[in-house]
Amino acid sequence: MKLLRCSLLLFFFLSSYSPLSAENTEGDGEFFVGFAGSAVFPYDPKRPSDAGGAGGDFKAGAGFSAAFGYSFKEGFSTEMEWGYQKAAVGGPSVNLSQGFNSGSTGSEVSARIPIGIGIDGDIKTQSLMGNVYYRYPKWKVSPYAGFGLGSFFHDGVINSTVTLETVLPDFLTGLVDSPPPGSGNTSDPLSLMTTVTYDDTRFAYQIMAGLSARVSRRMEFRFGYRFRSSRGQPIDSDQIEGGVRFHL
């Protein structure tokens, strides 16, 4: 994630000196409406880097937003933004096989019972943010940076499935009914699925940076990077976004 952020910031810095950046197309202060779509890469910042497949992972998702604001002629702009994003949670089945020993009359027999856990679901997040942007210099193509505060409204459903492969240890096969021929002493697995609903509201902040292209008096395209975080929750995200502003 750090490499992605550094690469994007370097790209935005170098692009700000593009030969396309040559003319001021902005007038005085004006209202605008904006729309954007994004690729969302959520992650848990508290999860150890060596956790591997132990547990669920957030998967890439998508989001979009709409905003209404005011652009000042000095290069600042403020807006109220509503956003929505959705990301899946999943992971490979984790093998938690348990072993035990059984000893009698000086002999000891060991066996293992395979246990697997699978995780899947999704988390939807709506947001209401107040943002401040600064764009400089006011050329046709120029860099911008922004910061926002507000609230995230999380809503999710997570399913966890525990599967017990009921394998009979060899020393028990004589104590129970014989399984069908060819079954390999294995009966159908036992599965238990638990569904957890997640509904929470949290204070949140976001940081934005990118390039703005003012293609006409009324239209402006934007391409950028956004980092989002909600206090007290292990759900941060890196986002690559593209959008448009219509100046009124």
Side-chain angles (χ1 to χ4, degrees), residues 20-198:
L20 294 176
S21 308
E23 181 181 350
N24 181 4
T25 58
E26 297 185 45
D28 296 331
E30 54 200 0
F31 289 97
F32 66 85
V33 291
F35 304 93
S38 60
V40 180
F41 304 94
Y43 62 95
D44 181 356
K46 298 181 180 180
R47 185 180 180 185
S49 58
D50 58 352
D57 290 314
F58 291 105
K59 299 180 180 180
F64 62 89
S65 63
F68 177 77
Y70 187 82
S71 178
F72 299 89
K73 63 180 180 179
E74 292 82 5
F76 285 97
S77 61
T78 61
E79 67 178 23
M80 287 300 298
E81 176 195 64
W82 172 85
Y84 173 88
Q85 68 182 50
K86 179 180 178 180
V89 182
S93 179
V94 180
N95 186 356
L96 298 178
S97 299
Q98 299 295 313
F100 64 91
N101 296 323
S102 175
S104 62
T105 63
S107 64
E108 186 174 283
V109 181
S110 63
R112 297 188 68 83
I113 299 179
I115 301 174
I117 297 179
I119 300 173
D120 69 90
D122 58 66
I123 294 180
K124 304 170 186 176
T125 301
Q126 296 189 62
S127 60
L128 186 62
M129 310 292 291
N131 301 323
V132 177
Y133 286 92
Y134 182 61
R135 177 175 178 257
Y136 183 84
K138 296 198 298 180
W139 295 336
K140 281 187 176 180
V141 179
S142 55
Y144 68 83
F147 181 77
L149 296 174
S151 296
F152 284 175
F153 308 95
H154 299 296
D155 180 17
V157 177
I158 308 297
N159 300 314
S160 61
T161 304
V162 179
T163 302
L164 172 62
E165 298 285 351
T166 54
V167 180
L168 295 178
D170 291 339
F171 74 94
L172 290 179
T173 56
L175 303 179
V176 299
D177 293 336
S178 299
S183 65
N185 291 336
T186 304
S187 62
D188 292 336
L190 301 176
S191 296
L192 175 64
M193 185 174 73
T194 302
T195 299
V196 177
T197 58
Y198 176 75

